[in-house]
Structures are given as structure tokens and as C-alpha cells.
């Protein structure tokens, strides 16, 4: 059934005009749905195109790099947003906290997406996984195993690079350390890691690989998919050299597993096209959806039975930490406070 509100749809001129002009056209030809996404539209286009091909539902993609949750909150009940597609449990949990999501009860979603990668109340769902791994210099780092705990070892003094401690990716990792070791031990660990840093935290994950390539540090924290982005970067081919200079070490592969985060989705609170929105969410979670999406973004499917792309497989095997992401979300605030308390972003003491 078409559930288009013209008032809300006016932002999306073409779709709405199509409906107005085509009152005699069968409803199914005019169905739409609006995605608010923090992901580059090009990245998710192939999977959305496939969805449209299969269902006839047209997808309007609204790219909002920052402040997606605030925007929906400001729009309130008039928001045209149906589905939120974003990255990191931090942002998904924030969307729920902001009150801009609603619960979805779907057997299809619950069957496919492991419970650890979705909100127990159905407010957010993982589509794909990214590991927070260690990039290590192929040239200077001989070991092929590592743990997060080991990053505190003085043997790494002056050798570690990372982005800001306050970035959501770092916060997720620290929050997982709190869940596993408690606040006090995590504080000691974070202090020691800070003192092992080669320099003040700076730049994104790719800049850390660049720093390894340049010899500024030997190891760095980074998300898995950036390796794929660097390896295939035709626009900035120098990134291929950065990627070639590192190997991926999956921390804690021999014990609890590597800290993972999700890219995921949520149903927007006032979704004007709710039925279509749930259809899209179920499509993204399907084998086909997960495969297409994962291939495009160099991430791991959330369903363990689906293989990642060949490029992703080339880095080794990811054994994900099974800590529920909802637990990590609970420790985010404490993690952020620890980062400030130890002065992590000020860099090493000497
Ligand atoms: Fe990222």
C-alpha cells in the first residue's frame, strides 16, 4: 500500500510530482522511500538499485555527513526520513537516545542478524561488520599476532599511531575494554597506550597507514574496510602504497576475538513510508543484500554463513568478539570520560 504523505514528500520533488501527475498509474509503480544516510551515496547505490529492481520501490537517498540525528529531531513529526543508514554503534545508539528511531519487530531481521548485532528493543540493526584491527608495518613488525592489551607493553614505546581517542571508533574499542576489564584496569591500559604513542592522535585511519608507510610509527589502530579502500584507490593511487606497507593483525584472535563494530540501519520514528522501509531493511539483511552491501564497502556480512568479498578475505580471518554491541554502547560515556581523564589526545608525555 502506498503510504506517501504529500506534505512530507515535497522535499523530494520528482517522486512526489510523479505521484501527483500519475493519479491513474497503479500505486505500486509510485512507491517510494527516503533514506537518511551518513554513508557516501555511491557506496550504497548498487544495493539500493537492486532493491528497486526487485520491488519497484523508488529510493531517495539524502546524504547527511554530520548531525543526522539532530536533523531528524529538528524536523520532528514532519520528517520525511524512513530509514537511517549509518555507521558505528555510537551513532546508532545516539539515534535511539535522541528519540528519532522506532522499534521494528521483524522475524526476518531477527532470524538473520545475530542478537549481539542488534538492539534488544529493535531500534537498530547491523548490516555489516568492521573490525578495529592493528595495521602493522610489514617491514618492521615481525610478529603476526597481537592483543589490544599488548598495546600497553613498553616495547611499543614511540611506535603506535592512532586517530583521536574521542572519535566514535576509538570510543567503541575503549568501551569494549571497559566491558571486559572494568574501568580501573582500562584506565591503566589507556594511560600506557597513550605513553606508547609516536605522536599526538591525529587524522583518520588511513593517515595512520600513511604514517607507517612513512616510517613515523610501526603499528596503528584502524578499521578493516579502509584497507580495501586504500588497496583499490584509483583516484589517489599513493594510498595503494600505504596499504602495501602494512599487514592486518586481528587482535585477540586467539582468545575473545577482535573488537567489531557495525554499519547499520534503523527505522525513523515518523517514517511516512513505514511498510516500504521495513521491506528495505529486510532486503539489506537478506543474503543478497548483505553480500552486495559488504562487497561494496569492504565489510563483513553480519551473518556468519555469508562470505566476505575476496579482497576482504585476503586480509586473514576475522574472529569477532561476541560482546553484544548494546553492552558497548552502555560504556561509551565512561570511555569518553576516560579519554579526557588520561589526556589521551594530548599524546605521549615525553
Ligand atoms: Fe570510517
Amino acid at each position: 500500500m502506498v503510504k506517501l504523505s504529500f506534505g512530507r514528500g515535497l522535499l523530494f520533488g520528482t517522486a512526489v510530482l510523479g505521484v501527483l501527475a500519475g493519479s491513474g498509474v497503479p500505486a505500486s509503480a509510485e512507491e517510494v522511500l527516503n533514506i537518511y544516510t551518513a554513508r557516501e551515496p555511491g557506496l550504497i547505490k548498487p544495493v539500493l538499485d537492486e532493491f528497486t529492481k526487485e520491488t519497484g520501490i523508488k529510493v531517495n537517498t539524502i546524504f547527511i555527513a554530520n548531525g543526522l540525528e539532530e536533523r531528524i529531531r529538528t524536523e520532528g513529526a514532519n520528517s520525511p526520513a524512513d530509514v537511517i543508514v549509518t555507521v558505528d554503534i555510537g551513532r546508532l545508539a545516539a539515534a535511539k537516545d535522541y528519540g528519532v528511531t522506532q522499534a521494528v519487530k521483524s522475524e526476518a531481521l531477527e532470524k538473520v542478524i545475530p542478537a549481539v548485532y542488534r538492539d534488544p528493543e529493535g531500534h537498530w540493526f547491523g548490516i555489516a561488520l568492521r573490525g578495529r584491527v592493528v595495521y602493522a608495518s610489514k617491514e618492521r613488525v615481525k610478529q603476526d599476532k597481537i592483543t589490544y592489551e599488548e598495546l600497553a607493553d613498553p616495547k611499543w614505546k614511540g611506535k603506535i599511531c592512532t586517530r583521536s581517542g574521542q572519535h566514535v571508533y576509538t570510543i567503541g574499542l575503549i568501551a569494549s575494554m571497559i566491558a571486559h576489564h572494568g574501568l580501573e584496569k582500562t584506565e591503566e591500559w589507556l594511560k600506557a597506550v597513550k605513553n606508547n604513542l609516536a605522536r599526538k592522535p591525529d587524522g583518520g585511519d588511513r593517515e595512520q597507514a600513511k604514517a607507517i608507510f612513512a616510517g613515523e610509527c610501526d603499528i596503528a589502530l584502524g578499521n578493516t574496510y579502509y584497507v580495501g579502500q586504500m588497496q583499490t584507490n584509483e583516484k589517489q593511487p599513493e594510498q595503494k602504497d600505504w596499504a602495501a606497507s602494512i599487514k592486518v593483525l586481528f587482535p585477540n584472535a586467539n582468545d575473545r576475538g577482535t573488537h567489531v563494530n557495525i554499519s547499520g540501519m534503523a527505522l525513523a520514528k515518523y517514517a511516512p513510508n513505514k511498510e516500504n522501509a521495513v521491506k528495505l531493511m529486510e532486503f539489506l539483511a537478506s543474503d543478497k543484500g548483505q553480500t552486495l552491501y559488504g562487497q561494496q564497502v569492504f565489510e563483513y556480512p553480519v551473518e556468519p554463513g555469508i562470505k566476505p568479498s575476496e579482497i576482504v578475505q585476503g586480509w586473514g580471518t576475522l574472529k569477532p568478539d561476541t560482546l553484544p554491541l548494546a553492552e558497548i554502547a552502555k560504556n561509551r560515556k565512561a570511555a569518553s570520560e576516560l579519554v579526557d581523564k588520561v589526556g589521551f589526545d594530548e599524546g605521549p608525555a615525553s
Side-chain angles (χ1 to χ4, degrees):
M1 198 193 101
V2 181
K3 222 184 141 196
L4 234 196
S5 149
F6 294 154
R8 293 176 202 178
L10 275 173
L11 274 175
F12 309 96
T14 26
V16 172
L17 286 176
V19 171
L20 293 174
S23 51
V25 176
S28 62
E30 305 294 349
E31 297 211 29
V32 298
L33 123 85
N34 307 313
I35 291 187
Y36 275 26
T37 182
R39 301 218 78 152
E40 249 180 80
L43 281 180
I44 53 173
K45 194 174 181 299
V47 67
L48 299 179
D49 285 351
E50 186 60 29
F51 171 74
T52 301
K53 209 171 97 188
E54 281 190 15
T55 62
I57 300 168
K58 184 180 180 300
V59 181
N60 297 306
T61 307
I62 296 87
F63 174 60
I64 304 166
N66 294 302
L68 192 155
E69 305 85 27
E70 288 91 338
R71 168 134 162 208
I72 299 179
R73 188 153 77 171
T74 308
E75 288 167 347
N78 289 322
S79 176
D82 291 304
V83 179
I84 299 166
V85 174
T86 189
V87 298
D88 204 275
I89 175 61
R91 295 194 180 118
L92 289 159
K96 183 185 178 190
D97 294 346
Y98 260 70
V100 298
T101 59
Q102 60 175 303
V104 177
K105 188 87 193 121
S106 156
E107 263 181 43
L109 292 180
E110 282 165 26
K111 208 175 112 201
V112 175
I113 303 171
V116 289
Y117 305 133
R118 53 183 160 84
D119 177 39
E121 291 167 352
H123 280 259
W124 46 259
F125 298 85
I127 312 168
L129 299 179
R130 57 267 305 280
R132 190 112 189 108
V133 293
V134 167
Y135 303 162
S137 164
K138 276 184 189 162
E139 214 177 77
R140 300 182 297 280
V141 177
K142 296 296 164 226
Q143 67 191 72
D144 53 14
K145 291 187 180 85
I146 204 159
T147 62
Y148 296 113
E149 288 75 12
E150 193 198 310
L151 301 178
D153 191 312
K155 80 175 193 188
W156 296 115
K157 185 144 182 74
K159 295 190 189 309
I160 305 178
C161 282
T162 178
R163 75 192 307 159
S164 165
Q166 289 295 0
H167 189 273
V168 283
Y169 301 163
T170 322
I171 292 295
L173 173 62
I174 299 168
S176 85
M177 292 297 282
I178 295 172
H180 286 298
H181 298 297
L183 206 54
E184 224 169 279
K185 281 218 166 112
T186 304
E187 182 177 340
E188 273 169 40
W189 171 78
L190 196 62
K191 245 188 234 165
V193 176
K194 168 191 139 114
N195 285 323
N196 281 343
L197 293 178
R199 54 166 168 74
K200 261 188 187 188
D202 190 33
D205 288 354
R206 274 180 284 201
E207 275 68 46
Q208 318 311 319
K210 184 186 182 185
I212 292 175
F213 172 73
E216 290 167 32
C217 37
D218 287 355
I219 58 172
L221 283 165
N223 279 356
T224 41
Y225 57 88
Y226 286 116
V227 181
Q229 288 181 6
M230 291 187 286
Q231 284 173 329
T232 58
N233 200 326
E234 300 302 336
K235 278 188 193 155
Q236 291 168 284
E238 65 275 18
Q239 292 194 7
K240 292 184 184 180
D241 296 332
W242 307 349
S245 75
I246 61 159
K247 55 185 176 182
V248 173
L249 302 185
F250 292 91
N252 301 75
N254 292 332
D255 47 76
R256 68 175 181 270
T258 299
H259 166 62
V260 291
N261 211 308
I262 47 173
S263 59
M265 57 190 171
L267 179 63
K269 172 131 189 205
Y270 298 105
N273 307 291
K274 187 172 166 181
E275 264 176 60
N276 290 348
V278 174
K279 268 188 209 161
L280 175 72
M281 291 172 78
E282 290 174 348
F283 177 78
L284 287 173
S286 69
D287 285 12
K288 193 186 214 174
Q290 281 194 51
T291 304
L292 277 172
Y293 181 84
Q295 271 172 356
Q296 199 67 24
V297 297
F298 305 111
E299 290 185 54
Y300 298 84
V302 283
E303 195 185 349
I306 308 175
K307 274 196 177 158
S309 71
E310 293 209 345
I311 288 180
V312 173
Q313 288 181 48
W315 309 326
T317 306
L318 170 73
K319 177 192 159 192
D321 183 349
T322 53
L323 188 70
L325 289 183
E327 289 302 310
I328 292 177
K330 281 184 205 157
N331 291 325
R332 286 173 58 236
K333 191 166 171 275
S336 171
E337 285 166 3
L338 267 196
V339 169
D340 280 348
K341 191 174 173 195
V342 309
F344 189 82
D345 281 352
E346 288 149 33
S350 55

